[in-house]
């Protein structure tokens, strides 16, 4: 059989080792791939850990344009694009159902409210020191239109 040039892309993997609930990656209405709950998740629970390569400030600056950098503290950044758990696929929303907490050097995504099976997981990226304006497509009625915070 001939290989099609437009073969459908295979969904990226969510590493169950870092998940506390069943999650799956699927195409998102917001942006490319998203992460979906495959079971209901109560409020205020650890959902997934954001993993990736831990890099210092010089390297973080060098990779500045890559999409999956998560600033851990004044010194360390985690690049979810390298060895990520799948948490790096969680899309931004202005009305998210997850929040990130940093605990003992780990980035943990917690549920802000009860999440139904089949809902897309979202988080407020909360970018503050970027000069680029990134349009938000979360579609929420309170959408601020851009992903960056402007206050
Ligand atoms: Zn929005």
């Amino acid at each position: 059989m001939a290989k099609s040039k437009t073969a459908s892309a295979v969904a990226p993997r969510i590493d169950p080792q870092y998940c506390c609930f069943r999650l799956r990656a699927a195409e998102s209405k917001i942006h490319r791939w998203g992460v979906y709950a495959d079971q209901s998740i109560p409020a205020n629970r650890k959902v997934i850990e954001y993993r990736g390569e831990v890099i210092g400030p010089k390297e973080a600056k060098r990779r500045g344009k890559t999409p999956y950098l998560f600033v851990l503290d004044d010194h360390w950044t985690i690049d979810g694009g390298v060895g990520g758990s799948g948490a790096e696929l969680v899309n931004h929303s202005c009305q998210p159902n997850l929040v990130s907490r940093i605990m003992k050097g780990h980035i943990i995504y917690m549920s802000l409210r009860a999440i139904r099976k089949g809902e897309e997981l979202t988080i407020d990226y909360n970018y503050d020191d970027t000069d680029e304006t990134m349009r938000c497509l979360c579609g929420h009625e309170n959408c601020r239109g851009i992903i960056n915070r402007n206050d």
Side-chain angles (χ1 to χ4, degrees):
M1 218 168 71
K3 258 190 180 171
S4 165
K5 262 186 180 171
T6 54
S8 60
V10 176
R13 192 167 166 272
I14 310 281
D15 191 340
Q17 194 185 338
Y18 299 108
C19 299
C20 299
F21 296 91
R22 283 198 313 273
L23 308 177
R24 66 188 168 83
E27 279 185 81
S28 167
K29 282 196 211 70
I30 300 174
H31 180 72
R32 299 184 60 194
W33 298 104
V35 180
Y36 291 78
D38 221 9
Q39 64 178 119
S40 53
I41 300 172
N44 222 357
R45 300 284 288 275
K46 177 181 167 183
V47 176
I48 186 171
E49 178 176 348
Y50 193 105
R51 302 280 304 181
E53 187 184 359
V54 180
I55 55 177
K58 250 191 196 164
E59 186 58 18
K61 200 171 181 187
R62 200 182 68 79
R63 296 187 195 180
K65 292 282 178 216
T66 57
Y68 300 125
L69 300 184
F70 197 120
V71 177
L72 187 57
D73 56 29
D74 290 345
H75 190 78
W76 300 108
T77 295
I78 293 184
D79 184 353
V82 183
S85 60
E88 70 281 2
L89 302 170
V90 173
N91 280 312
H92 165 91
S93 170
C94 299
Q95 198 71 34
N97 51 25
L98 298 180
V99 65
S100 62
R101 302 244 184 271
I102 293 172
M103 297 180 197
K104 295 177 181 160
H106 295 270
I107 300 166
I108 308 296
Y109 280 10
M110 308 275 302
S111 52
L112 273 171
R113 58 165 172 80
I115 299 169
R116 292 183 311 275
K117 182 180 177 182
E119 259 191 83
E120 179 170 2
L121 303 182
T122 53
I123 198 149
D124 189 336
Y125 285 179
N126 245 323
Y127 291 143
D128 51 4
D129 54 354
T130 172
D131 38 3
E132 257 175 289
T133 297
M134 299 168 72
R135 216 155 76 81
C136 182
L137 300 170
C138 79
H140 195 273
E141 58 183 12
N142 295 327
C143 179
R144 55 183 188 257
I146 52 168
I147 289 177
N148 319 52
R149 283 248 181 237
N150 53 0
D151 48 9

